[in-house]
Amino acid sequence: LCMSLTGQQLADRKLLHAEVRKFLAGRIRTSAGEPPRPRKLGRAQVISLIGPTGVGKTTTIAKLAANYKLREGKTVGLITIDTYRIAAVDQLRTYADIIEVPLKAVLTAGELHQAVESMRDLDVILIDTAGRSQNNRLRLSQLKSFIAAAEPDEVHLVVSATANQACTRTVLERFMPLGANRIIVTKLDEAGSFGVFLTVSQPGGGPISYVTTGQ
């Protein structure tokens, strides 16, 4: 970057900032430039959110549901497999009641497949999954079986902007092979820096689909 600027240009703070922004923007991938993934004929668009614990998946999926229904005018269904936390199911049920969309809670991969099929006439189905530690390979393997049962069109890996670089890289390494093809960055308002955008855009990561705050 600096080699492309002359000494006089480097002394121009405004120009230097503009060049740095351009340089960084060119290295951050977004799903806006990705070709749309083909939907399965006669079935709703199925979108699943996965990720480690505490990154805000349930809140994010509620925001997506509201956006699809209220802004885009689509019919939406919610499915949760996060039955390990009763509060999470109650939280999502509250959101579902507010925006008036159906919600199903499932326990097994077979039930998940059936739930998806029962909502196939809707426009969009959003699946909320239980948070999994990136260090628990058994739980990640179980999550992979759920994803396979749902056959989602999009799998968004949710990562927190507050996580350090080493942690984010491990999350990418463990979760992306489960079928993730998009990344959502959450808690942007709580982050002390924004290096996460460069980390997830590196090889082994993926395009960023959404960015949210903790609110």
Side-chain angles (χ1 to χ4, degrees), residues 63-134:
K63 292 177 180 179
L64 291 178
N67 181 72
Y68 278 119
K69 181 176 181 180
L70 304 178
R71 290 190 178 179
E72 298 188 20
K74 295 183 177 181
T75 54
V76 180
L78 294 173
I79 301 174
T80 179
I81 65 172
D82 190 3
T83 54
Y84 297 94
R85 298 184 303 132
I86 300 300
V89 178
D90 290 341
Q91 180 186 9
L92 195 57
R93 181 170 287 112
T94 298
Y95 290 139
D97 289 343
I98 290 173
I99 60 177
E100 299 180 335
V101 299
L103 168 67
K104 291 181 180 291
V106 301
L107 296 173
T108 67
E111 289 182 0
L112 175 58
H113 178 76
Q114 292 175 1
V116 170
E117 287 301 306
S118 71
M119 293 182 174
R120 66 182 303 135
D121 292 334
L122 300 177
D123 293 321
V124 180
I125 300 172
L126 296 166
I127 302 174
D128 187 25
T129 62
R132 293 287 186 259
S133 168
Q134 61 270 23

Side-chain angles (χ1 to χ4, degrees), residues 100-177:
E100 299 180 335
V101 299
L103 168 67
K104 291 181 180 291
V106 301
L107 296 173
T108 67
E111 289 182 0
L112 175 58
H113 178 76
Q114 292 175 1
V116 170
E117 287 301 306
S118 71
M119 293 182 174
R120 66 182 303 135
D121 292 334
L122 300 177
D123 293 321
V124 180
I125 300 172
L126 296 166
I127 302 174
D128 187 25
T129 62
R132 293 287 186 259
S133 168
Q134 61 270 23
N135 300 315
N136 191 327
R137 295 182 184 274
L138 175 60
R139 292 294 191 187
L140 291 176
S141 178
Q142 292 173 342
L143 177 58
K144 187 174 183 178
S145 69
F146 274 96
I147 295 172
E151 298 182 273
D153 302 291
E154 296 178 7
V155 179
H156 298 246
L157 171 58
V158 183
V159 300
S160 172
T162 62
N164 62 45
Q165 186 181 58
C167 179
T168 301
R169 284 179 172 171
T170 303
V171 167
L172 294 172
E173 178 187 333
R174 303 285 166 79
F175 278 92
M176 292 301 292

